[in-house]
Amino acid sequence: LVPKLASCKMIMIKPFLLTAVAPAFLNTSRRSIFPAAMSTSSSVNAPGGDQECDTPAAVIFLHGLGNRAGWSSLRRKLPSLRPNLGKNVHYVFPPAPTIGISVNGGMQMPGWFDLYDWPIGVGVKDDKEGKIKAAIQIEETVEKLEKEMDIPPSRIVVGGFSQGGAVALLTAYHRRTEGKVPFAGCVCLSGWLTLKEDLNVTEEVAKSTPLFWAHGEYDDKVLFEQQAHGVGVLKEHGVKVEERSYPMGHESDYDEIDAMAEFLEKVLFPSSS
């Protein structure tokens, strides 16, 4: 139901609005909520013999506002679509901190950064401090993967949905400055490009970190215009972008996840794709 507008009342946005309308194929289990930087190897084995499959890799995927556990079943779904993603690939689902969200009247909920405008169209106000803190948390996860599991950034894909997609873009492109090893790839599902005035993609990152960006054509929360705008800006900086759109709202579906799996296999196991 759409609430009636009242000039003297604050319009409250319910917490689930920026959370994926999680499809059944992603909801096989919601029991496993991973603490920050904890990873898990998929139990599905890929066909043996490929040297790339023997080299550890990782997928870091960030949830949307208010939803810490809804995407963790990707660690089973992705290998079922592309078996290469099931051998020596570690899936990491960092939880966002609990913070107050301004468009929700300061309500406390899991979120990567604050939101000041609604819906989220091109030109919304940025919570720069919150977004940088979120990116630093992901960078710490990357450092832990390299130190404890010997997985370099060049074998890591960082991605996310909605707010998580925005943080993934920030981590993969804004903050991989000169001297930092680029990621293998980036995934943005129904997200948006933030802190555009600070964007400075190095030549090495543009060459080494391709992007998969998918978005719902009827998204009334993170507006569909965000995809064309963000893709255009990143392409101007030399980033290779695979863009997909689907007849859906602020959610995901099988075709999108299948396309994402294809992209992940292509960037992590290029000789197999």
Side-chain angles (χ1 to χ4, degrees):
L1 297 177
V2 179
K4 294 182 178 179
L5 301 181
S7 59
C8 60
K9 295 182 179 179
M10 179 180 293
I11 302 171
M12 300 295 287
I13 300 171
K14 295 182 180 180
F16 63 78
L17 288 181
L18 284 186
T19 300
V21 180
F25 63 81
L26 286 180
N27 282 334
T28 54
S29 173
R30 287 180 176 245
R31 291 177 294 175
S32 297
I33 303 176
F34 302 108
M38 178 176 288
S39 64
T40 175
S41 299
S42 171
S43 60
V44 181
N45 289 326
D50 193 321
Q51 184 176 358
E52 288 173 335
C53 290
D54 294 332
T55 304
V59 175
I60 301 172
F61 199 88
L62 314 181
H63 61 79
L65 182 67
N67 178 13
R68 283 185 173 140
W71 292 88
S72 60
S73 56
L74 283 176
R75 73 189 190 278
R76 292 183 296 275
K77 185 59 185 177
L78 291 173
S80 75
L81 296 169
R82 295 293 187 278
N84 279 334
L85 299 177
K87 184 178 183 182
N88 251 349
V89 178
H90 301 270
Y91 293 89
V92 189
F93 305 94
T98 298
I99 61 173
I101 303 297
S102 293
V103 294
N104 271 356
M107 184 183 298
Q108 296 283 316
M109 64 189 68
W112 294 107
F113 50 83
D114 200 0
L115 295 172
Y116 306 111
D117 301 303
W118 190 261
I120 301 171
V122 175
V124 295
K125 180 181 177 182
D126 280 322
D127 172 17
K128 184 172 182 177
E129 181 180 358
K131 288 169 181 174
I132 290 176
K133 284 182 179 179
I136 289 173
Q137 178 182 333
I138 305 312
E139 288 168 348
E140 290 172 350
T141 300
V142 172
E143 291 172 3
K144 190 171 183 178
L145 282 170
E146 185 166 22
K147 181 179 179 180
E148 298 183 3
M149 306 190 73
D150 199 26
I151 303 176
S154 60
R155 294 288 293 157
I156 295 174
V157 175
V158 59
F161 173 83
S162 193
Q163 272 201 338
V167 174
L169 291 172
L170 178 64
T171 306
Y173 299 110
H174 296 66
R175 296 182 58 82
R176 301 313 282 180
T177 52
E178 293 290 346
K180 292 186 177 180
V181 178
F183 294 114
C186 181
V187 171
C188 177
L189 305 184
S190 302
W192 68 102
L193 185 65
T194 67
L195 304 182
K196 293 181 286 290
E197 67 281 1
D198 296 334
L199 181 62
N200 182 21
V201 183
T202 69
E203 183 177 348
E204 186 178 9
V205 167
K207 179 181 178 181
S208 304
T209 309
L211 169 65
F212 176 84
W213 189 324
H215 216 107
E217 297 167 0
Y218 310 127
D219 195 331
D220 60 351
K221 298 168 179 62
V222 180
L223 301 183
F224 184 43
E225 65 182 30
Q226 288 280 18
Q227 183 187 39
H229 176 73
V231 166
V233 171
L234 288 166
K235 282 185 174 180
E236 288 177 359
H237 283 78
V239 177
K240 300 175 183 177
V241 184
E242 180 180 337
E243 54 188 301
R244 301 286 186 95
S245 62
Y246 301 90
M248 62 184 184
H250 194 66
E251 56 193 313
S252 185
D253 71 0
Y254 178 90
D255 291 337
E256 180 181 68
I257 300 302
D258 185 56
M260 180 176 76
E262 181 181 13
F263 171 82
L264 291 173
E265 182 178 53
K266 184 164 52 179
V267 298
L268 292 176
F269 306 102
S271 65
S272 300
S273 57

PDB file of all heavy atoms in Angstrom, residues 70-98:
ATOM      1  N   GLY A  70      20.174 -12.611   3.337  1.00  0.00           N
ATOM      2  CA  GLY A  70      19.406 -13.037   2.172  1.00  0.00           C
ATOM      3  C   GLY A  70      20.201 -13.492   0.974  1.00  0.00           C
ATOM      4  O   GLY A  70      19.655 -14.119   0.078  1.00  0.00           O
ATOM      5  N   TRP A  71      21.510 -13.184   0.918  1.00  0.00           N
ATOM      6  CA  TRP A  71      22.294 -13.528  -0.258  1.00  0.00           C
ATOM      7  C   TRP A  71      23.301 -14.638  -0.007  1.00  0.00           C
ATOM      8  O   TRP A  71      24.040 -15.023  -0.922  1.00  0.00           O
ATOM      9  CB  TRP A  71      23.004 -12.278  -0.777  1.00  0.00           C
ATOM     10  CG  TRP A  71      22.050 -11.279  -1.322  1.00  0.00           C
ATOM     11  CD1 TRP A  71      21.403 -10.291  -0.621  1.00  0.00           C
ATOM     12  CD2 TRP A  71      21.575 -11.187  -2.666  1.00  0.00           C
ATOM     13  NE1 TRP A  71      20.569  -9.588  -1.453  1.00  0.00           N
ATOM     14  CE2 TRP A  71      20.648 -10.116  -2.713  1.00  0.00           C
ATOM     15  CE3 TRP A  71      21.849 -11.907  -3.832  1.00  0.00           C
ATOM     16  CZ2 TRP A  71      19.992  -9.747  -3.885  1.00  0.00           C
ATOM     17  CZ3 TRP A  71      21.202 -11.535  -5.004  1.00  0.00           C
ATOM     18  CH2 TRP A  71      20.286 -10.465  -5.022  1.00  0.00           C
ATOM     19  N   SER A  72      23.356 -15.168   1.184  1.00  0.00           N
ATOM     20  CA  SER A  72      24.394 -16.151   1.512  1.00  0.00           C
ATOM     21  C   SER A  72      24.242 -17.463   0.746  1.00  0.00           C
ATOM     22  O   SER A  72      25.225 -18.189   0.581  1.00  0.00           O
ATOM     23  CB  SER A  72      24.402 -16.427   3.021  1.00  0.00           C
ATOM     24  OG  SER A  72      23.165 -16.942   3.454  1.00  0.00           O
ATOM     25  N   SER A  73      23.058 -17.762   0.253  1.00  0.00           N
ATOM     26  CA  SER A  73      22.879 -19.005  -0.483  1.00  0.00           C
ATOM     27  C   SER A  73      23.468 -18.933  -1.897  1.00  0.00           C
ATOM     28  O   SER A  73      23.442 -19.931  -2.627  1.00  0.00           O
ATOM     29  CB  SER A  73      21.404 -19.393  -0.556  1.00  0.00           C
ATOM     30  OG  SER A  73      20.635 -18.354  -1.134  1.00  0.00           O
ATOM     31  N   LEU A  74      24.036 -17.777  -2.267  1.00  0.00           N
ATOM     32  CA  LEU A  74      24.766 -17.720  -3.538  1.00  0.00           C
ATOM     33  C   LEU A  74      25.898 -18.736  -3.568  1.00  0.00           C
ATOM     34  O   LEU A  74      26.292 -19.208  -4.634  1.00  0.00           O
ATOM     35  CB  LEU A  74      25.346 -16.313  -3.752  1.00  0.00           C
ATOM     36  CG  LEU A  74      24.388 -15.218  -4.211  1.00  0.00           C
ATOM     37  CD1 LEU A  74      25.127 -13.884  -4.262  1.00  0.00           C
ATOM     38  CD2 LEU A  74      23.768 -15.545  -5.562  1.00  0.00           C
ATOM     39  N   ARG A  75      26.434 -19.061  -2.388  1.00  0.00           N
ATOM     40  CA  ARG A  75      27.555 -20.002  -2.346  1.00  0.00           C
ATOM     41  C   ARG A  75      27.139 -21.388  -2.816  1.00  0.00           C
ATOM     42  O   ARG A  75      27.995 -22.203  -3.167  1.00  0.00           O
ATOM     43  CB  ARG A  75      28.139 -20.074  -0.933  1.00  0.00           C
ATOM     44  CG  ARG A  75      27.289 -20.798   0.089  1.00  0.00           C
ATOM     45  CD  ARG A  75      27.862 -20.608   1.489  1.00  0.00           C
ATOM     46  NE  ARG A  75      27.222 -21.453   2.465  1.00  0.00           N
ATOM     47  CZ  ARG A  75      26.071 -21.172   3.064  1.00  0.00           C
ATOM     48  NH1 ARG A  75      25.430 -20.046   2.760  1.00  0.00           N
ATOM     49  NH2 ARG A  75      25.556 -21.983   3.950  1.00  0.00           N
ATOM     50  N   ARG A  76      25.864 -21.678  -2.852  1.00  0.00           N
ATOM     51  CA  ARG A  76      25.377 -22.955  -3.396  1.00  0.00           C
ATOM     52  C   ARG A  76      24.798 -22.778  -4.803  1.00  0.00           C
ATOM     53  O   ARG A  76      24.967 -23.635  -5.659  1.00  0.00           O
ATOM     54  CB  ARG A  76      24.309 -23.546  -2.470  1.00  0.00           C
ATOM     55  CG  ARG A  76      24.840 -24.002  -1.130  1.00  0.00           C
ATOM     56  CD  ARG A  76      23.760 -24.643  -0.283  1.00  0.00           C
ATOM     57  NE  ARG A  76      22.713 -23.690   0.054  1.00  0.00           N
ATOM     58  CZ  ARG A  76      22.773 -22.843   1.086  1.00  0.00           C
ATOM     59  NH1 ARG A  76      23.851 -22.832   1.849  1.00  0.00           N
ATOM     60  NH2 ARG A  76      21.785 -22.013   1.353  1.00  0.00           N
ATOM     61  N   LYS A  77      24.105 -21.647  -5.000  1.00  0.00           N
ATOM     62  CA  LYS A  77      23.443 -21.445  -6.289  1.00  0.00           C
ATOM     63  C   LYS A  77      24.427 -21.225  -7.419  1.00  0.00           C
ATOM     64  O   LYS A  77      24.286 -21.800  -8.513  1.00  0.00           O
ATOM     65  CB  LYS A  77      22.484 -20.249  -6.202  1.00  0.00           C
ATOM     66  CG  LYS A  77      21.651 -20.047  -7.476  1.00  0.00           C
ATOM     67  CD  LYS A  77      20.816 -21.280  -7.770  1.00  0.00           C
ATOM     68  CE  LYS A  77      20.087 -21.143  -9.105  1.00  0.00           C
ATOM     69  NZ  LYS A  77      19.326 -22.374  -9.425  1.00  0.00           N
ATOM     70  N   LEU A  78      25.450 -20.411  -7.204  1.00  0.00           N
ATOM     71  CA  LEU A  78      26.393 -20.115  -8.287  1.00  0.00           C
ATOM     72  C   LEU A  78      27.124 -21.356  -8.796  1.00  0.00           C
ATOM     73  O   LEU A  78      27.214 -21.568 -10.016  1.00  0.00           O
ATOM     74  CB  LEU A  78      27.382 -19.033  -7.833  1.00  0.00           C
ATOM     75  CG  LEU A  78      26.765 -17.640  -7.641  1.00  0.00           C
ATOM     76  CD1 LEU A  78      27.779 -16.683  -7.022  1.00  0.00           C
ATOM     77  CD2 LEU A  78      26.243 -17.088  -8.961  1.00  0.00           C
ATOM     78  N   PRO A  79      27.651 -22.239  -7.917  1.00  0.00           N
ATOM     79  CA  PRO A  79      28.281 -23.465  -8.419  1.00  0.00           C
ATOM     80  C   PRO A  79      27.317 -24.396  -9.138  1.00  0.00           C
ATOM     81  O   PRO A  79      27.729 -25.168 -10.010  1.00  0.00           O
ATOM     82  CB  PRO A  79      28.841 -24.121  -7.152  1.00  0.00           C
ATOM     83  CG  PRO A  79      29.028 -22.992  -6.197  1.00  0.00           C
ATOM     84  CD  PRO A  79      27.880 -22.076  -6.460  1.00  0.00           C
ATOM     85  N   SER A  80      26.036 -24.329  -8.777  1.00  0.00           N
ATOM     86  CA  SER A  80      25.064 -25.174  -9.469  1.00  0.00           C
ATOM     87  C   SER A  80      24.845 -24.705 -10.903  1.00  0.00           C
ATOM     88  O   SER A  80      24.442 -25.480 -11.767  1.00  0.00           O
ATOM     89  CB  SER A  80      23.734 -25.204  -8.715  1.00  0.00           C
ATOM     90  OG  SER A  80      23.007 -23.998  -8.892  1.00  0.00           O
ATOM     91  N   LEU A  81      25.115 -23.425 -11.155  1.00  0.00           N
ATOM     92  CA  LEU A  81      24.973 -22.874 -12.498  1.00  0.00           C
ATOM     93  C   LEU A  81      26.258 -22.975 -13.307  1.00  0.00           C
ATOM     94  O   LEU A  81      26.225 -23.193 -14.520  1.00  0.00           O
ATOM     95  CB  LEU A  81      24.544 -21.401 -12.402  1.00  0.00           C
ATOM     96  CG  LEU A  81      23.171 -21.138 -11.782  1.00  0.00           C
ATOM     97  CD1 LEU A  81      22.985 -19.655 -11.505  1.00  0.00           C
ATOM     98  CD2 LEU A  81      22.064 -21.650 -12.703  1.00  0.00           C
ATOM     99  N   ARG A  82      27.398 -22.787 -12.627  1.00  0.00           N
ATOM    100  CA  ARG A  82      28.707 -22.875 -13.273  1.00  0.00           C
ATOM    101  C   ARG A  82      29.622 -23.659 -12.336  1.00  0.00           C
ATOM    102  O   ARG A  82      30.151 -23.106 -11.365  1.00  0.00           O
ATOM    103  CB  ARG A  82      29.292 -21.481 -13.532  1.00  0.00           C
ATOM    104  CG  ARG A  82      28.510 -20.618 -14.518  1.00  0.00           C
ATOM    105  CD  ARG A  82      28.564 -21.185 -15.926  1.00  0.00           C
ATOM    106  NE  ARG A  82      27.967 -20.282 -16.901  1.00  0.00           N
ATOM    107  CZ  ARG A  82      26.664 -20.176 -17.142  1.00  0.00           C
ATOM    108  NH1 ARG A  82      25.815 -20.898 -16.441  1.00  0.00           N
ATOM    109  NH2 ARG A  82      26.221 -19.359 -18.069  1.00  0.00           N
ATOM    110  N   PRO A  83      29.824 -24.964 -12.581  1.00  0.00           N
ATOM    111  CA  PRO A  83      30.589 -25.807 -11.654  1.00  0.00           C
ATOM    112  C   PRO A  83      31.971 -25.281 -11.300  1.00  0.00           C
ATOM    113  O   PRO A  83      32.465 -25.523 -10.200  1.00  0.00           O
ATOM    114  CB  PRO A  83      30.675 -27.149 -12.403  1.00  0.00           C
ATOM    115  CG  PRO A  83      29.436 -27.180 -13.241  1.00  0.00           C
ATOM    116  CD  PRO A  83      29.243 -25.759 -13.690  1.00  0.00           C
ATOM    117  N   ASN A  84      32.604 -24.527 -12.193  1.00  0.00           N
ATOM    118  CA  ASN A  84      33.923 -23.975 -11.869  1.00  0.00           C
ATOM    119  C   ASN A  84      33.875 -23.078 -10.637  1.00  0.00           C
ATOM    120  O   ASN A  84      34.888 -22.907  -9.952  1.00  0.00           O
ATOM    121  CB  ASN A  84      34.468 -23.170 -13.053  1.00  0.00           C
ATOM    122  CG  ASN A  84      35.104 -24.046 -14.109  1.00  0.00           C
ATOM    123  OD1 ASN A  84      35.581 -25.135 -13.821  1.00  0.00           O
ATOM    124  ND2 ASN A  84      35.100 -23.581 -15.350  1.00  0.00           N
ATOM    125  N   LEU A  85      32.722 -22.501 -10.363  1.00  0.00           N
ATOM    126  CA  LEU A  85      32.589 -21.598  -9.222  1.00  0.00           C
ATOM    127  C   LEU A  85      32.462 -22.354  -7.908  1.00  0.00           C
ATOM    128  O   LEU A  85      32.276 -21.740  -6.853  1.00  0.00           O
ATOM    129  CB  LEU A  85      31.378 -20.678  -9.414  1.00  0.00           C
ATOM    130  CG  LEU A  85      31.434 -19.776 -10.651  1.00  0.00           C
ATOM    131  CD1 LEU A  85      30.146 -18.966 -10.773  1.00  0.00           C
ATOM    132  CD2 LEU A  85      32.647 -18.857 -10.612  1.00  0.00           C
ATOM    133  N   GLY A  86      32.580 -23.679  -7.967  1.00  0.00           N
ATOM    134  CA  GLY A  86      32.438 -24.479  -6.764  1.00  0.00           C
ATOM    135  C   GLY A  86      33.708 -25.112  -6.260  1.00  0.00           C
ATOM    136  O   GLY A  86      33.702 -25.795  -5.249  1.00  0.00           O
ATOM    137  N   LYS A  87      34.832 -24.913  -6.941  1.00  0.00           N
ATOM    138  CA  LYS A  87      36.077 -25.520  -6.492  1.00  0.00           C
ATOM    139  C   LYS A  87      37.095 -24.430  -6.189  1.00  0.00           C
ATOM    140  O   LYS A  87      37.469 -23.653  -7.072  1.00  0.00           O
ATOM    141  CB  LYS A  87      36.636 -26.476  -7.549  1.00  0.00           C
ATOM    142  CG  LYS A  87      37.898 -27.212  -7.086  1.00  0.00           C
ATOM    143  CD  LYS A  87      38.392 -28.183  -8.145  1.00  0.00           C
ATOM    144  CE  LYS A  87      39.613 -28.950  -7.634  1.00  0.00           C
ATOM    145  NZ  LYS A  87      40.170 -29.869  -8.640  1.00  0.00           N
ATOM    146  N   ASN A  88      37.527 -24.388  -4.944  1.00  0.00           N
ATOM    147  CA  ASN A  88      38.524 -23.409  -4.514  1.00  0.00           C
ATOM    148  C   ASN A  88      38.031 -21.973  -4.635  1.00  0.00           C
ATOM    149  O   ASN A  88      38.831 -21.044  -4.768  1.00  0.00           O
ATOM    150  CB  ASN A  88      39.827 -23.579  -5.297  1.00  0.00           C
ATOM    151  CG  ASN A  88      40.931 -24.157  -4.432  1.00  0.00           C
ATOM    152  OD1 ASN A  88      40.796 -24.253  -3.219  1.00  0.00           O
ATOM    153  ND2 ASN A  88      42.027 -24.537  -5.061  1.00  0.00           N
ATOM    154  N   VAL A  89      36.723 -21.763  -4.653  1.00  0.00           N
ATOM    155  CA  VAL A  89      36.152 -20.422  -4.627  1.00  0.00           C
ATOM    156  C   VAL A  89      35.520 -20.206  -3.256  1.00  0.00           C
ATOM    157  O   VAL A  89      34.653 -20.980  -2.840  1.00  0.00           O
ATOM    158  CB  VAL A  89      35.098 -20.214  -5.735  1.00  0.00           C
ATOM    159  CG1 VAL A  89      34.493 -18.814  -5.623  1.00  0.00           C
ATOM    160  CG2 VAL A  89      35.727 -20.413  -7.109  1.00  0.00           C
ATOM    161  N   HIS A  90      35.951 -19.192  -2.555  1.00  0.00           N
ATOM    162  CA  HIS A  90      35.469 -18.897  -1.212  1.00  0.00           C
ATOM    163  C   HIS A  90      34.478 -17.747  -1.280  1.00  0.00           C
ATOM    164  O   HIS A  90      34.738 -16.720  -1.909  1.00  0.00           O
ATOM    165  CB  HIS A  90      36.641 -18.561  -0.295  1.00  0.00           C
ATOM    166  CG  HIS A  90      37.651 -19.667  -0.202  1.00  0.00           C
ATOM    167  ND1 HIS A  90      37.578 -20.664   0.742  1.00  0.00           N
ATOM    168  CD2 HIS A  90      38.734 -19.955  -0.967  1.00  0.00           C
ATOM    169  CE1 HIS A  90      38.575 -21.512   0.567  1.00  0.00           C
ATOM    170  NE2 HIS A  90      39.295 -21.101  -0.468  1.00  0.00           N
ATOM    171  N   TYR A  91      33.335 -17.920  -0.624  1.00  0.00           N
ATOM    172  CA  TYR A  91      32.279 -16.921  -0.649  1.00  0.00           C
ATOM    173  C   TYR A  91      32.229 -16.203   0.693  1.00  0.00           C
ATOM    174  O   TYR A  91      32.161 -16.841   1.738  1.00  0.00           O
ATOM    175  CB  TYR A  91      30.932 -17.590  -0.974  1.00  0.00           C
ATOM    176  CG  TYR A  91      30.902 -18.118  -2.388  1.00  0.00           C
ATOM    177  CD1 TYR A  91      31.329 -19.418  -2.675  1.00  0.00           C
ATOM    178  CD2 TYR A  91      30.495 -17.306  -3.424  1.00  0.00           C
ATOM    179  CE1 TYR A  91      31.332 -19.888  -3.976  1.00  0.00           C
ATOM    180  CE2 TYR A  91      30.493 -17.769  -4.734  1.00  0.00           C
ATOM    181  CZ  TYR A  91      30.908 -19.057  -5.012  1.00  0.00           C
ATOM    182  OH  TYR A  91      30.921 -19.518  -6.302  1.00  0.00           O
ATOM    183  N   VAL A  92      32.269 -14.895   0.636  1.00  0.00           N
ATOM    184  CA  VAL A  92      32.333 -14.067   1.833  1.00  0.00           C
ATOM    185  C   VAL A  92      31.149 -13.106   1.829  1.00  0.00           C
ATOM    186  O   VAL A  92      30.908 -12.411   0.836  1.00  0.00           O
ATOM    187  CB  VAL A  92      33.655 -13.273   1.892  1.00  0.00           C
ATOM    188  CG1 VAL A  92      33.815 -12.581   3.233  1.00  0.00           C
ATOM    189  CG2 VAL A  92      34.852 -14.176   1.604  1.00  0.00           C
ATOM    190  N   PHE A  93      30.421 -13.056   2.944  1.00  0.00           N
ATOM    191  CA  PHE A  93      29.227 -12.214   3.052  1.00  0.00           C
ATOM    192  C   PHE A  93      29.343 -11.311   4.285  1.00  0.00           C
ATOM    193  O   PHE A  93      28.754 -11.595   5.331  1.00  0.00           O
ATOM    194  CB  PHE A  93      27.970 -13.081   3.117  1.00  0.00           C
ATOM    195  CG  PHE A  93      27.845 -14.032   1.957  1.00  0.00           C
ATOM    196  CD1 PHE A  93      28.314 -15.340   2.051  1.00  0.00           C
ATOM    197  CD2 PHE A  93      27.290 -13.618   0.763  1.00  0.00           C
ATOM    198  CE1 PHE A  93      28.224 -16.209   0.987  1.00  0.00           C
ATOM    199  CE2 PHE A  93      27.187 -14.479  -0.311  1.00  0.00           C
ATOM    200  CZ  PHE A  93      27.658 -15.789  -0.210  1.00  0.00           C
ATOM    201  N   PRO A  94      30.095 -10.239   4.190  1.00  0.00           N
ATOM    202  CA  PRO A  94      30.283  -9.363   5.353  1.00  0.00           C
ATOM    203  C   PRO A  94      28.972  -8.707   5.774  1.00  0.00           C
ATOM    204  O   PRO A  94      28.182  -8.298   4.922  1.00  0.00           O
ATOM    205  CB  PRO A  94      31.281  -8.311   4.847  1.00  0.00           C
ATOM    206  CG  PRO A  94      31.871  -8.876   3.600  1.00  0.00           C
ATOM    207  CD  PRO A  94      30.826  -9.754   3.010  1.00  0.00           C
ATOM    208  N   PRO A  95      28.724  -8.600   7.071  1.00  0.00           N
ATOM    209  CA  PRO A  95      27.517  -7.922   7.543  1.00  0.00           C
ATOM    210  C   PRO A  95      27.747  -6.432   7.739  1.00  0.00           C
ATOM    211  O   PRO A  95      28.793  -6.010   8.246  1.00  0.00           O
ATOM    212  CB  PRO A  95      27.246  -8.605   8.890  1.00  0.00           C
ATOM    213  CG  PRO A  95      28.612  -8.965   9.391  1.00  0.00           C
ATOM    214  CD  PRO A  95      29.453  -9.270   8.170  1.00  0.00           C
ATOM    215  N   ALA A  96      26.807  -5.641   7.320  1.00  0.00           N
ATOM    216  CA  ALA A  96      26.887  -4.193   7.550  1.00  0.00           C
ATOM    217  C   ALA A  96      26.638  -3.884   9.024  1.00  0.00           C
ATOM    218  O   ALA A  96      25.958  -4.638   9.714  1.00  0.00           O
ATOM    219  CB  ALA A  96      25.863  -3.468   6.684  1.00  0.00           C
ATOM    220  N   PRO A  97      27.165  -2.775   9.511  1.00  0.00           N
ATOM    221  CA  PRO A  97      26.865  -2.366  10.889  1.00  0.00           C
ATOM    222  C   PRO A  97      25.413  -1.903  11.016  1.00  0.00           C
ATOM    223  O   PRO A  97      24.752  -1.631  10.009  1.00  0.00           O
ATOM    224  CB  PRO A  97      27.836  -1.203  11.120  1.00  0.00           C
ATOM    225  CG  PRO A  97      28.065  -0.635   9.756  1.00  0.00           C
ATOM    226  CD  PRO A  97      28.058  -1.820   8.817  1.00  0.00           C
ATOM    227  N   THR A  98      24.925  -1.833  12.217  1.00  0.00           N
ATOM    228  CA  THR A  98      23.596  -1.281  12.477  1.00  0.00           C
ATOM    229  C   THR A  98      23.728   0.223  12.673  1.00  0.00           C
ATOM    230  O   THR A  98      24.457   0.676  13.557  1.00  0.00           O
ATOM    231  CB  THR A  98      22.964  -1.924  13.719  1.00  0.00           C
ATOM    232  OG1 THR A  98      22.800  -3.329  13.475  1.00  0.00           O
ATOM    233  CG2 THR A  98      21.606  -1.310  14.019  1.00  0.00           C
TER     234      THR A  98
END
